[in-house]
Amino acid sequence: MLTLVSLLVLLCSAFYFTYNEELPTGKQGIAADKLANKMLDALNYEAYKETNSLAWTFRDKHHYQWSKNQNRCSVQWDDIAVQLDLKSKSNSAVSVGGQPYSGEEKEQLINKALAYFNNDSFWLVAPYKVFDVGVERRLVKQEDGSDALLITYTSGGTTPGDSYLWHLDAQGFPTSFQMWVQIIPVQGISASWEQWITTKSRAQLPRFHKLLFLDIIMGSVQGTK
C-alpha cells in the first residue's frame, strides 16, 4: 500500500512529465519584430502609450492605482498602503491602518509592494512590454504552421531571465502564453489571456487568466488618459 508521501511523489512526477516542456528555440530578427508589432497593433498600442491612469485588483487581494506617466503607483493590501515611487524607491511612503509608518519594517514593506507590482502589473500589461529595454524577441514556428512570439526578459523586474511564448490569433491578438520562469518548477505551463475590455483610453486590457486550476481575476480594470 502506498504511503501518502509516495503517492504525492507519484502525483508530482506525473504532473511534471505531463506539463513540463523544454524552452523552444526561435529566430531573432525582422520577422520576430514584425510579429511583435502585429500584436501591438491589434492591442492599440498607441492608445496604451497615451493611457496615464490604470486601476485594477489582483485576485481580490492587491489593489492598484498606477499613474504610469508619473512613475508612481498606490499599492494596497490588508491594512497596508504603499505609495510607490517607481523611479526612486527610497521616496516611497508607507501607511499602516491609515497612519504614516516609518518603522524598521518600512523598507521591507516597500520591497514587498514593488514585488507585488512587478508581478501583478505584468498580468495586466505584459503584451505591451515586448520592446522594453533588455527584451529579446524570437519567432517560433508551431507544429500547426502558425507563428508564436518568444519573449525573454534579460534584465529588469523581479526575476530577469524569464521567457514567455505568446500564442496569437490570426489578427495578432494574444490568446495565451506559456511560461519558462524561475518561480515555477514545471516549465512551459500555459495561461490564458481573456475577457479583454476596451478602456476609456481605448487601450485593450484583460480581466481574466486561467492558469491550470487557478483563476486569476483582475477585478474592475480601468484605464484613462
Side-chain angles (χ1 to χ4, degrees):
M1 184 175 180
L2 291 173
T3 65
L4 179 59
V5 173
S6 298
L7 182 59
L8 287 174
V9 169
L10 286 174
L11 288 173
C12 290
S13 297
F15 183 85
Y16 180 86
F17 286 111
T18 299
Y19 290 102
N20 193 71
E21 294 186 22
E22 293 293 326
L23 180 67
T25 57
K27 186 175 181 180
Q28 290 180 280
I30 295 174
D33 289 352
K34 184 177 180 180
L35 185 60
N37 278 310
K38 182 178 181 180
M39 180 171 71
L40 291 179
D41 288 343
L43 292 170
N44 198 351
Y45 179 52
E46 291 302 316
Y48 173 74
K49 287 196 297 183
E50 295 177 1
T51 301
N52 177 48
S53 178
L54 292 168
W56 76 101
T57 300
F58 187 81
R59 300 192 66 209
D60 202 30
K61 295 180 179 180
H62 308 152
H63 308 273
Y64 296 92
Q65 293 279 346
W66 181 14
S67 297
K68 184 161 61 72
N69 295 348
Q70 298 174 19
N71 285 311
R72 300 191 66 87
C73 186
S74 169
V75 185
Q76 298 181 38
W77 71 97
D78 299 332
D79 63 342
I80 298 166
V82 178
Q83 304 301 320
L84 270 179
D85 186 325
L86 298 168
K87 191 172 182 179
S88 180
K89 187 177 65 172
S90 61
N91 292 331
S92 302
V94 179
S95 62
V96 177
Q99 299 298 317
Y101 180 79
S102 58
E104 60 183 15
E105 295 183 359
K106 179 180 178 180
E107 185 174 358
Q108 295 177 15
L109 292 173
I110 292 173
N111 288 336
K112 180 177 286 189
L114 182 59
Y116 285 160
F117 172 81
N118 286 339
N119 178 78
D120 300 354
S121 66
F122 190 82
W123 286 99
L124 186 72
V125 302
Y128 294 110
K129 299 172 65 64
V130 295
F131 281 97
D132 281 6
V133 175
V135 172
E136 295 178 350
R137 294 164 296 282
R138 292 177 173 83
L139 182 71
V140 178
K141 285 290 184 181
Q142 303 293 280
E143 292 183 357
D144 63 2
S146 64
D147 294 331
L149 181 65
L150 180 63
I151 298 297
T152 300
Y153 294 88
T154 63
S155 61
T158 304
T159 55
D162 291 348
S163 293
Y164 302 83
L165 184 66
W166 286 98
H167 298 277
L168 315 175
D169 66 15
Q171 288 71 45
F173 211 88
T175 57
S176 66
F177 65 22
Q178 291 176 266
M179 299 179 286
W180 286 263
V181 297
Q182 299 175 34
I183 63 172
I184 301 178
V186 180
Q187 301 297 287
I189 288 178
S190 180
S192 70
W193 282 67
E194 52 187 299
Q195 294 187 20
W196 291 85
I197 63 166
T198 302
T199 65
K200 290 183 178 179
S201 66
R202 308 305 297 172
Q204 302 286 329
L205 295 172
R207 295 190 61 230
F208 183 81
H209 309 279
K210 187 74 173 181
L211 174 61
L212 293 177
F213 313 109
L214 179 66
D215 291 342
I216 301 177
I217 301 170
M218 307 300 287
S220 180
V221 176
Q222 300 175 35
T224 56
K225 294 184 178 180

